[in-house]
Each structure stands twice: as structure tokens, then as C-alpha cells.
Amino acid sequence: MKRRSVGFAVVLVALVLGAYSGASDLAEVTTTTLEPTTTVEAADPPTQVSPDVLDELIAQASSFEEVAIWGGTANGITFDAPSQLAVDAESSIFVTDYQGGHLRKFAPDGTLLFEVAGNGFDPGNLRNPTGVTVASDGSIFVSESGNNRITAFNADGSFREVFSGPGTDPGQFRSARGIAASDENELFVADFGNHRVQVFTTDGGFVRTWGEVGTGPGQFNGPNGLQIGPAGHVWVVDNGNERVQVFNQQGELLRSYDEVGTAPEIISLNSEGEFYVSSPWGDNRVRHFSPDGELLGTVGLSATPEELRRMSPDDRATIEAMSTLQGPHGTATDAAGAVYLADSANGIVRKFVPVDR
């Protein structure tokens, strides 16, 4: 908003010359000052209302239909802030709760199969879990940004071990984020604060690392989401650089995708190589891309504050009455193409299915 100053001072000087009597006298000098400087606020230009905003948002989200919601008033499940998701070979769904420190396993119909509770520092507890993955033997691995470690569980949810810890040395973390298990039973973890990817064996042995802070190819500015695609490549969301970089499992950069959203955080891929990128706080979107990076649409309906301002009052009331996303985080897909989405600020998990499959 611009500010304009419109005050000024006027000085009135009266010089009264006395009668000439062989000498001149300087009479009284009078100074008059108007009111002090006044600041007037210039109004912001009015927001241009567009009748097409709502229709465009609905069209972008039209490729998926929502078929189920878990949490809230459904299923008897209460999420504080569901954050990350994973799907195993049996299409069971694993959900971490960032605020509550929970790990839950669900059947595809939403039935709760087990829950690991406890928000704390002790082994077996979870503090700010930020990633979850399932290895080929059914073992479950959870990355914790709060404890800067990896916690391993057996397939039945029983605690197995923890490894790593805070620091900058190889094998240590400054905010462990996305995690994925390869077919070769290696764990790939995004080390957000150290700007690198670290690789471990599934029993916690450090293997290798790559990356450094920067904006160049293969560098990172806060790597966050991480997944292994159907070809075995490692996909990393480079949050601060607003891109997705794709590597082979030795850390060689293969390609990069720009324009994936504002402050992107999380990524998942389906069996066809299509990928989904969440921008929970940047622009409140989950974008759906083709394998070559073409934007195909969005998953779920959402709007930014700017888009809401551009709507007519009637359209704004319409979308506010609809079930819209608020801070969408992790996504995961099953073998049938369904997309599960952690709607974090709403405290629910949503299930979508493609409308054309």
C-alpha cells in the first residue's frame, strides 16, 4: 500500500517599514504554520472479480472423485495432523500423524488394523513423524523430524529398533523427512537441514550420501518429499528451489522438473509413472503430472486466498460450503489407481478414484 504526504508549512512574513526618519526600522516578523503533515492512505486497487475462477478450479479437479473420508466424524478415528502415507503390496494404507505421534495401518475399506501410539523421545515412540515406507518383507520404517532418527517396526506393528540421530556427520540428520525403501532393501532418506539424501541398509547401516546446499543441478535447498518410482529412480522434492529432481540410486542426476507448485513438499507416484506433488502451505494444492511433467489437473478441490478474493460472493459461498482441502500433505496410490491424501489441517484422510478408469 502506497503512502502520500500532503502537508506543508506556510510562513507569512510581514515587514512593516517605519516612516523614514533618517533611519529604517525592521518591524515585527510574524510566522504562521498550518496543521502538521497529514498522511492519507491510498486505497488498494479493487480485486478484479472473475466469474470463471470457481469453474476453473472444479474443472482442474474433475479427473478424480472422492469416495471415502477417514477421521473427523468417520471411522471413530481422530487425527491431529495426518502427514505421510504409504501403501504396501496388499494395498494396506499406513498413515503417520505429525502432531499426535501416531502410526496407523488401515485396510483399503478404512478398517483400522493396528495403531502405534506415543509421542515422545523413548525408543518406539514417534515425535513429529514425517515419512513412512514399507520394505519388501513388510517391515515399516518411519522418519522422525522431531527425534532426527529412523524407527523400524515389524510387520505387525511391534517395535524393532531405532537408528541414526541428530548431527551433520554421515548417517546423522538435521530433520529427517521423506523416506523410501528400494527393492534392494536400501532406505533412502531426505535430510532436510543438511541438504542431502542419505542411504542406509534396512538394519540401519550407513551406505552413502549425495547432495549439498545450492541451486545448481543435483544440489538442494531443503529436500523434503522422497519416493522411488516404478523404474527404481529416486524422486526428491527440492522444497526451497521449487522443483523435483530425479536420480538413479547412486545419486546421478537424471532429470529435473520445474513449475511443480509453490513451496512443494511431498511426492508420490503411481504404477504408470504419473506423479503427484503437494504444496500444503504454498498454494494449497495437490498437482497431478504425467511422466514427462505435463500438468494433468489436481486431486481434490482447493482455493488460495487470492482465488477466493477473485470470486463473486455467491461463488465464494458455494466453494466454502464444499469439502475443500486445507494443508494437503502426503499422498499414496494403490494398485487400482486410487489416491489417498492426508488433508492435514482438516484432520482427515481422503480417498479418491480416477473417473476415467
Side-chain angles (χ1 to χ4, degrees), residues 343-356:
D343 191 355
S344 186
N346 281 324
I348 56 178
V349 172
R350 302 173 185 265
K351 180 179 180 180
F352 297 86
V353 295
V355 298
D356 57 349

Side-chain angles (χ1 to χ4, degrees), residues 70 77-87 93-106 112 114-119 125-134 140-145 151 153 176-179 227 266 327 329-332 340-345 347-349:
W70 305 343
I77 301 296
T78 299
F79 294 109
D80 291 308
S83 55
Q84 302 300 322
L85 308 176
V87 176
I93 300 92
F94 298 80
V95 184
T96 62
D97 192 326
Y98 182 83
Q99 296 291 351
H102 298 277
L103 168 67
R104 295 181 174 98
K105 178 182 180 180
F106 295 90
L112 179 65
F114 70 66
E115 177 178 355
V116 176
N119 192 346
N125 289 341
L126 300 173
R127 184 165 170 258
N128 302 134
T130 44
V132 59
T133 190
V134 183
I140 308 155
F141 298 88
V142 179
S143 54
E144 302 174 60
S145 63
T151 296
F153 298 92
R177 299 291 179 95
I179 185 171
Q227 284 293 329
I266 317 299
H329 269 70
T331 59
Y340 300 86
L341 189 158
D343 191 355
S344 186
I348 56 178
V349 172

Side-chain angles (χ1 to χ4, degrees), residues 45-122:
T47 300
Q48 182 66 43
V49 174
S50 171
D52 301 326
V53 175
L54 180 58
D55 291 342
E56 291 171 357
L57 294 176
I58 292 174
Q60 291 171 11
S62 64
S63 296
F64 290 88
E65 176 187 3
E66 184 175 281
V67 295
I69 291 178
W70 305 343
T73 59
N75 297 72
I77 301 296
T78 299
F79 294 109
D80 291 308
S83 55
Q84 302 300 322
L85 308 176
V87 176
D88 67 10
E90 285 74 42
S91 292
S92 298
I93 300 92
F94 298 80
V95 184
T96 62
D97 192 326
Y98 182 83
Q99 296 291 351
H102 298 277
L103 168 67
R104 295 181 174 98
K105 178 182 180 180
F106 295 90
D109 64 358
T111 301
L112 179 65
L113 301 178
F114 70 66
E115 177 178 355
V116 176
N119 192 346
F121 301 92
D122 294 336

Side-chain angles (χ1 to χ4, degrees), residues 143-144 149-150 163 173 175-180 187-192 196-200 209-210 223-224 226 234 236:
S143 54
E144 302 174 60
R149 68 188 184 192
I150 307 301
F163 56 88
F173 294 109
S175 191
R177 299 291 179 95
I179 185 171
L187 296 173
F188 294 77
V189 188
D191 186 359
F192 184 87
R196 63 190 180 189
V197 172
Q198 301 207 69
V199 187
F200 301 83
T209 185
W210 74 79
N224 200 330
L226 183 151
V234 182
V236 184

Side-chain angles (χ1 to χ4, degrees), residues 296-354:
L296 301 177
T298 61
V299 182
L301 183 63
S302 61
T304 65
E306 174 60 25
E307 287 165 336
L308 290 173
R309 284 193 293 269
R310 290 170 52 211
M311 292 182 190
S312 68
D314 288 345
D315 283 354
R316 193 179 306 121
T318 297
I319 195 170
E320 289 175 351
M322 302 171 76
S323 182
T324 56
L325 307 181
Q326 298 295 332
H329 269 70
T331 59
T333 62
D334 64 17
V339 178
Y340 300 86
L341 189 158
D343 191 355
S344 186
N346 281 324
I348 56 178
V349 172
R350 302 173 185 265
K351 180 179 180 180
F352 297 86
V353 295

